Amino acid sequence: MSSCWINRAAIGLDSMIAHIKDRLNGNYARRRAIKQRLHLAMLATERHQLVAARATQKRTTGFTQHSALHWRTEFHRNAV
């Protein structure tokens, strides 16, 4: 039981030492910049997938700018 606790403490200490070492030699800033770029790339990919899905949905339903305008004029004509 105590060896598990000691092992966990040693792993935590190792990670703290690695974090301090990264801060001192400049790897921390580089890693953070890489993580931020990766996050932005993931967001851009997700946004692109949403836009592509909407475009596909509009294409498959036949809903175009012209049909939207036609529907709107019909709606106003019937509302009067």
Side-chain angles (χ1 to χ4, degrees), residues 14-25:
D14 282 347
S15 68
M16 284 175 40
I17 290 172
H19 182 74
I20 291 169
K21 192 169 77 172
D22 282 349
R23 281 244 184 211
L24 292 176
N25 68 10

Side-chain angles (χ1 to χ4, degrees), residues 25-46:
N25 68 10
N27 281 346
Y28 179 76
R30 195 175 322 125
R31 282 192 188 143
R32 190 175 64 208
I34 289 170
K35 281 184 185 176
Q36 286 174 347
R37 275 186 293 197
L38 180 64
H39 182 68
L40 288 176
M42 287 169 53
L43 287 177
T45 302
E46 185 179 343

